[in-house]
Each structure stands twice: as C-alpha cells, then as structure tokens.
Amino acid sequence: MNMKGKEILGKGRTRSDTTPLLGKHKQQHQQPHPKNRFHSSPSACSHSISSPLFLEMAAAISSASSSPTSHCNVFLGVDVGTGSARAGLFDEEGKLLGSASSPIQIWKEGDCIEQSSTDIWHAVCSAVKAACSLAKIDGEQVKGIGFAATCSLVAVDADGSPVTVSWSGDSRRNIIVWMDHRAVKQAEKINSRNSPVLQYCGGSVSPEMEPPKLLWVKENLQESWSMVFRWMDLSDWLSYRATGDDTRSLCTTVCKWTYLGHAHMQHINEKDSRDMEACGWDDDFWEEIGLGDLVEGHHAKIGRSVAFPGHALGSGLTPTAAKELGLVAGTPVGTSLIDAHAGGVGVMESLPEKENDNEAICHRMVLVCGTSTCHMAVSRDKLFIPGVWGPFWSAMIPEYWLTEGGQSATGALLDYIIESHVASPRLANHAASQKTSLFHLLNNILESMMRELQCPFIAALTEDTHVLPDFHGNRSPIADPKAKGVVFGLTLDPSEQQLARLYLAAVQAIAYGTRHIVEHYNANGHKIDTLLACGGLSKNALFIQEHADIIGCPIILPRESESVLLGAAILGAVAAKKYTCLSEAMKALNAAGQAIHPSTDSRVKKYHDAKYCIFRELYQRQLSQRSIMAQALA
C-alpha cells in the first residue's frame, strides 16, 4: 500500500479537535471574552438555537494599543488538535487575552492516518508568536507554559529526528494519529492475552491506544522499529521538544500506554513527585504481547520517569526552544495532558458557586466535544466499568481516579453526514455568502421547518429518521471497533430540508450515545447528575440542548470557550508555582458561563425515550446481521 502523496487536507484549513468542524472561517485570533454573568435557560423554548453565544465566529483582531498590555502574570496554553496547533494566553483570573491557530498537515489512506512532528512544531511556534502579537503580550510576561495534544504516537531517533511510521517511507510522517485504526488486529491479539493491566482500560485495549500501534510498527516496519530511540505521546514530545526533559506525564502513560499510575500513591507530595522513577510498567505485559524489547534500559524508549500533570520539567524552556517560540529561556513548562484531559482541567470547576466539598466534583462529567467526544468523570474510589477506559489514578486530577468514555466520531460524523449529501455544496455557498457557519444555517432551517410543519418541538422532525453513530466503531460503552454506522429513513429527497433532518438525527444519535455512556457509568458506581461541555461542538446551541433533553441533566458551559487551552495554561501556572496544586489552580481559573436545562415539556422526554429504544435496537440488530452473514460465509 503506497501512501505517497495522499494528503487528506494538506496545508489548508484542517479539522481541529476543539474548534467547530464545519465553519470555513479561519480562526487565527480571538478578542478577550467579556465577563459573562451566569444564567440559565429553563426549557428548550427559552432561547434561540441560533444565539450568537453558541455560533462559530471568526475572531476579531484586538484593538489594543501597540505597547505590551500590562499583566503581571500571563500563562500560555498550547493545544495540538487533529487539524491545527493553537495557542492561548490567559491572565490570573483565567480570562483569555488572545489566541491564534496554525494548520497542520495530515495524510490519510484507508485506516492509516499520519502527521509530522516537524510540521507540528513549526505550527506551534507560529501560533505562539501570533497569539503574543495579537494580545500585545511580551515574552517576558509569560510566566508558565503547558502543552496538550491528541494521544498520537511519535517516533524519533537518538538525535530527535523523525522516524517514519508510514508505508510510504516518508521520514516526515513519523506520527500515527490518534484516530488511526491500522492496528485493529494487533489490538485483538493483545486483548486475547487477558493481561491484568487490561482491567484498567475497560477490559480491552483500543486500536487508538499506543500498544497496538507499537506492535503494528514492529510487525510491519522492522527497519523503523530498529531506528526508533524514543516512542512518545504527542503532548509529551512537545514538552520534551521545549525543555529537553524526557519525563512522561501520568496522563499519557496511564491512559494510553497501560502504565499503572497507582504505583505512585506514596509519591503524591511535592518532594517525592519531582522525578519519579517509572515503576508502574508491567514488564510481563510487554513480554507477553511481543514487545519485550521496550522493557530494556529501564524502559528508556517508552519512559524512565513520570510526573503528575503540571509539575515543572527540567530547567524550563531551552534557549533554542525559547528563541523558536519567541519566549524567554527558563520559562517553566508543566508536565503535559492529553487534549481532552486538558479540557477537563479547564472546565471541571466551572460552576456558578464554588463548592468546598471534595466529593461534589465526583457528580460531574465533562464532555470534550470535537472531532470525537470524550466523557471524563472522576471518583475517590476505584470504579471498574466494562467498556470504559480506566480507572486511571491521577491521570487528570491528582488523587482522583479517572474514568474516560468516548465516541470516536462526533464532529467528524456531522462533517461526513453533511458533506456527503447532494445539497451540501449549495448550502455551503449560502453559508459563505452570509458569512456564517453551516451549523448556524442548518439550525435556522430546522426552526423554519418546525414552524411550517407545525411540529410541537424541533426534535420531532426526525420522527422517521434514526441514526446509529458508530461510523468509526464504538469506543464506549460497547467497545466494538468493528461496529458500523446506520442511517434509517433515507429518501430520494435532495433538498436542504432533508439534509437538515439528517443532521438533526445525527446530533440526536450522538446525544443518545452519551446517554448510554452516562447510564452505564451510573450503573457501575458513579453518580453523575451534572454535565459540563467544552470544545467546538459545545458552541452549537442545538447540539447542547438536544443533549440536555436526551440525557435529562443540566449542561454547564464555561465562561471561556477555549477550555482545552485554559487547561493547558493551568499546567503552566502550576509549574510556575503560582498555585500550590492543580486543584487549587482549577478553582481559581475555571468560571461558569451559562447553564442549559432539559425541556420541561413532558412530550419531549417521551419522544426521546422512544427514539432511544430504537437507538439501542439498531446495534443489537447489527450484531444479529453480523452473525447471519458470518454463518453464510463459513
């Protein structure tokens, strides 16, 4: 299979985990957000789904004076998503001062999806410089830096140069992207071993985790395998590139590498946790799956030392990295987070009234809604939930166990549903001429259809249209990477109205999937009663209201919409010793914006309960059909 020259989106505007996926405005910078008073909407009818608060908007250039803005302490967060690198600057109150983004290259052929660490670092440098310029922030004002990124796998040699992980042999392509599914067979092989470490990732590894990807490279690209000196998660590589410190994050290693973070329960105090020797690797696991060579040299290739998120790395920015970023050498850099986990840190304490009860946080779930959606919840107790990743000790918030559900395709699914419809080009032209997003236009079409057809509520427009959203497999709670998507109720109607119906049905399907995950969490020990949402899709009011109605929980949106960037910046604030711990920094810098409540109309609940039953049946029928066809081919 030759992937040479197969670029999915090239150097143009690409998709990001944390920006709206369908708008075509290039999001290069952002004005400081005005302070929003916390308010709530009691029902589905109390606000418009086209409210500007929720729309994707191109940011405006700051009109601040040309001299640097006066801020004592500024914290920088960097987030590398699927399609862009973004940088955001925040003040001591957690308010966004300015942000910028730069696109990154991505190659795709079939299940193989790859990127370049060299390209990503250039994009990071560009975004950081642009953000500082637009916010009028001098490099000396930046007191701490944190990195967040997708859980993609980076391969470099002893000199730090990229090593190809591509069939093409192109050395630039040294990253296997998180959503790459080339290693399905390797995941099945690993799961068949029934290693004890698997109980800490929902009972099985996903092809999106690192061990299957590593095994794939060893089995298919032996020359590359022998050349690699370090295998790193992307966010750890960014921190390493910035500081020269090879220390890995408990977040990345525990969540994606089967590292057992609870081996460090005795290291929670500051003195012990500075440079923790990696004692949580299960050597028997690596031997059993055929990767025993990664145990050599005290696990040198996958991590000799680990640290809690936010702990200061090395001596801060190296002179070289500081020059490339336009910052000051020695600026503290905090141990990294996966992007979704940074979103959790950036939003988990975004309540209208701060609660001193340490157990209250255990009743919340964060939805990080972008290309995919991650469902983050923490608990004091170790809760094992089949089909849900975790429990991971201190992988997001120190001393709490994290459980992580997820849907592999949400924003990507909406992209696919819309772009594959015959009316999509026409609608895209309308959106461009009106300088708005496709989401906004579709939401308005649905409102008009509701009035014209005299529907009791918008959701009723999908009475005959049902979607199973597993177009990229099911991550949680079924954990079936072979699951397929279903669209029931197709017609020959080529109109924009029919596209709007399909879009609405897909939004609802995503929400039904989240309801399934929430119910599964609560059936296994959690007590989730409040959702907090961030990421690009959280800016879409229809998306959020449908989730509130379908799940039956209030959904809180943070004051600052760039929660992943804020979470990354919080890591820098902790590394700079501006706060004693991550939890303290979260309470200081998180702030609530708006709460969306479920509709009070009993008909809405009855309708969604009925559709949810159909949603659950669609997968069961798929299993039955799969069995029938397997017997036919036997």
Side-chain angles (χ1 to χ4, degrees), residues 36-41 47 51-55 346-352 365-369 530-545 547-548 554-563 590-597:
N36 293 324
R37 212 179 263 180
F38 182 88
H39 60 286
S40 63
S41 55
H47 69 280
S51 167
L53 177 64
F54 295 88
L55 299 183
V347 75
M348 195 68 127
E349 292 286 1
S350 296
L351 270 71
M365 174 182 281
V366 173
L367 308 183
V368 186
C369 315
T530 301
L531 304 182
L532 300 101
C534 63
L537 291 176
S538 71
K539 301 171 187 178
N540 182 331
L542 174 71
F543 184 89
I544 294 299
Q545 187 64 61
H547 273 69
I555 299 181
I556 297 172
L557 302 174
R559 177 192 64 196
E560 300 297 340
S561 63
E562 297 293 355
S563 299
N590 284 191
Q594 185 181 30
I596 308 301
H597 290 272

Side-chain angles (χ1 to χ4, degrees), residues 207-259:
E208 295 176 13
M209 292 180 175
E210 310 305 8
K213 292 174 180 173
L214 290 165
L215 186 56
W216 183 93
V217 175
K218 184 174 183 179
E219 291 179 349
N220 292 276
L221 299 174
Q222 188 60 49
E223 184 177 353
S224 291
W225 182 258
S226 62
M227 290 175 61
V228 174
F229 187 75
R230 286 186 177 91
W231 293 102
M232 308 186 79
D233 237 72
L234 178 54
S235 60
D236 283 335
W237 179 82
L238 290 166
S239 299
Y240 167 68
R241 181 66 175 76
T243 67
D245 188 338
D246 189 26
T247 298
R248 313 300 174 93
S249 169
L250 274 177
C251 177
T252 59
T253 52
V254 171
C255 293
K256 304 302 174 186
W257 296 72
T258 72
Y259 189 84

Side-chain angles (χ1 to χ4, degrees), residues 100-285:
S101 69
S102 182
I104 55 180
Q105 194 165 14
I106 187 166
W107 291 271
K108 179 178 181 181
E109 183 170 305
D111 288 332
C112 295
I113 308 173
E114 296 152 357
Q115 289 179 323
S116 161
S117 62
T118 302
D119 175 63
I120 285 175
W121 182 251
H122 289 157
V124 166
C125 294
S126 176
V128 169
K129 289 177 180 177
C132 289
S133 175
L134 293 163
K136 311 299 180 186
I137 294 296
D138 190 291
E140 294 183 356
Q141 294 174 273
V142 177
K143 304 302 181 183
I145 306 166
F147 291 95
T150 63
C151 49
S152 301
L153 179 65
V154 184
V156 294
D157 65 16
D159 297 324
S161 299
V163 177
T164 185
V165 292
S166 171
W167 283 118
S168 70
D170 186 342
S171 63
R172 294 175 301 169
R173 291 150 71 164
N174 70 317
I175 297 177
I176 301 180
V177 179
W178 66 271
M179 65 193 303
D180 182 292
H181 270 210
R182 71 180 70 183
V184 170
K185 290 183 179 178
Q186 285 72 23
E188 292 173 349
K189 179 179 178 181
I190 292 170
N191 292 331
S192 70
R193 299 288 181 175
N194 293 317
S195 170
V197 301
L198 298 183
Q199 65 181 314
Y200 290 95
C201 49
S204 61
V205 295
S206 161
E208 295 176 13
M209 292 180 175
E210 310 305 8
K213 292 174 180 173
L214 290 165
L215 186 56
W216 183 93
V217 175
K218 184 174 183 179
E219 291 179 349
N220 292 276
L221 299 174
Q222 188 60 49
E223 184 177 353
S224 291
W225 182 258
S226 62
M227 290 175 61
V228 174
F229 187 75
R230 286 186 177 91
W231 293 102
M232 308 186 79
D233 237 72
L234 178 54
S235 60
D236 283 335
W237 179 82
L238 290 166
S239 299
Y240 167 68
R241 181 66 175 76
T243 67
D245 188 338
D246 189 26
T247 298
R248 313 300 174 93
S249 169
L250 274 177
C251 177
T252 59
T253 52
V254 171
C255 293
K256 304 302 174 186
W257 296 72
T258 72
Y259 189 84
L260 302 177
H262 47 282
H264 297 283
M265 280 187 170
Q266 74 275 22
H267 294 143
I268 193 62
N269 67 72
E270 169 65 23
K271 184 178 179 180
D272 290 342
S273 64
R274 175 58 52 195
D275 294 301
M276 299 188 299
E277 183 180 352
C279 60
W281 294 117
D282 186 322
D283 292 352
D284 289 341
F285 166 74

